[in-house]
Amino acid sequence: MKSKQVLKDMTPYQPGKQIEEVKETYGLNKIVKLASNENPFGHSPEVTNYFSRYQSSFNLYPDGYTGELRHVLADRLKVSEDQLIFGSGTDEIVQIITRAFLYPGVNTVMATPTFPQYKHNALVEGAQVKEVPTVNGYHNLSAILEAIDQRTSVIWLCSPNNPTGCLIPRNHLYDFLDQCPKDVLIVLDEAYLEYVDSTFQPGILQYLQQYDNVIVLRTFSKAYGLAGLRIGYGIANSGLISDLDVVRGPFNTSTIAQKAAITALEDEAFLNDTVTRNQAIKRSFEAFLDSIGWNYYDSHTNFLLISMPISGEQTFQYLLEHGFIVRAGEGLGVPDTVRITIGSETDMQELQRVLYQLNTAITEGTWS
């Protein structure tokens, strides 16, 4: 079988531990999953109400143009309908971009650590990957500019960054865009934008005509709580979207996902409640971490990347045995850290109790 040679040196994406698996392994009755940055408050109740009345027609293909959602979202974002592309989560749009713009002989530049699917898909397409280390979790934009050469095709900016949570400051972002070559595609991944205070949001959409080499990625998986339905979107100039649509599969988002996204958009009260509660719980959790002397990265998201006095893998295992699934930083390119999603008020209080016990054991030398 003559598959791409690079595949032999790569591994498939490894999803986090699943709840039922952990329950069975450790004999636990309750598991709290804080590993995938999902919305602990679920999704808009209007989505549930809609589908309680929905008459299924699963024998029919979905709308390949995503017309109704396209119309609603374009009106909400104040962009033209032909400036939008939809995918099975932003994961698929990342894949579409790499398929369209990356190939042997070109390179792509990204931060490290950052969302791993940029690198994964770039390598599959045979492109050279240039990684620029972050500084205290922030993109080193000047170093990224220095890494660009005549063969650079795509630059990835994840803001807020996953896994660090750090946001590129607005003035730094626009300085970077002004200096970047116009023939290089810049992907600005804003998967966590809804969690960013409006005073810090870059407001990039109103300048897309000026920066026609920029595509902005957003998703319904995080704050909107529709991760299980897999729907995300990209916004760019119509010519770029047209090129990407050539690569996109004809029926790549389901009817259910499209309808749910429309309903979720209309329930602004749920979104506002999600963001407000996340901010309050995160502040409380940060105060707890301060009280035990643990450092964490500056996060504008619904998660924190925390520096640990022991390895991230050890912390992961300890929390797993106590009913919490988190992500060890070793697998994210940040050793001796854990990434913890901000959960509900009750779950985070219990997590703090478990972490306090861990810190006490480490401090007193009884940890093993």
Side-chain angles (χ1 to χ4, degrees), residues 178-191:
D178 288 337
Q179 295 179 69
C180 189
K182 300 305 179 185
D183 62 345
V184 173
L185 176 63
I186 302 169
V187 182
L188 179 61
D189 188 344
E190 295 187 328

Side-chain angles (χ1 to χ4, degrees), residues 4 6 10 118-129:
K4 293 180 178 179
V6 69
M10 300 175 66
Y118 308 150
K119 180 178 181 179
H120 180 91
N121 284 291
L123 291 174
V124 169
E125 298 301 333
Q128 177 192 7
V129 174

Side-chain angles (χ1 to χ4, degrees), residues 243-356:
D243 288 343
L244 294 176
D245 266 331
V246 174
V247 178
R248 180 182 62 83
F251 303 107
N252 62 325
T253 61
S254 69
T255 300
I256 289 180
Q258 293 178 31
K259 295 292 187 181
I262 294 169
T263 307
L265 277 172
E266 294 171 347
D267 190 356
E268 295 185 14
F270 173 80
L271 180 64
N272 292 336
D273 182 64
T274 283
V275 172
T276 300
R277 291 175 70 182
N278 172 81
Q279 291 174 341
I281 299 168
K282 184 169 68 172
R283 283 195 297 267
S284 176
F285 188 42
E286 289 172 339
F288 164 75
L289 295 172
D290 291 338
S291 73
I292 62 174
W294 289 5
N295 296 321
Y296 48 89
Y297 288 76
D298 181 23
S299 174
H300 288 259
T301 66
N302 66 335
F303 62 83
L304 286 177
L305 184 66
I306 305 166
S307 298
M308 300 300 302
I310 57 178
S311 77
E313 289 289 353
Q314 288 175 309
T315 307
F316 164 82
Q317 186 61 38
Y318 179 88
L319 290 177
L320 196 65
E321 294 171 6
H322 286 78
F324 290 90
I325 307 174
V326 300
R327 287 296 298 272
E330 281 76 4
L332 301 170
V334 200
D336 300 330
T337 66
V338 288
R339 192 191 67 191
I340 299 180
T341 303
I342 303 301
S344 68
E345 292 89 344
T346 301
D347 289 339
M348 294 304 288
Q349 289 172 2
E350 175 62 18
L351 175 65
Q352 288 176 198
R353 185 188 66 80
V354 173
L355 290 176
Y356 184 84

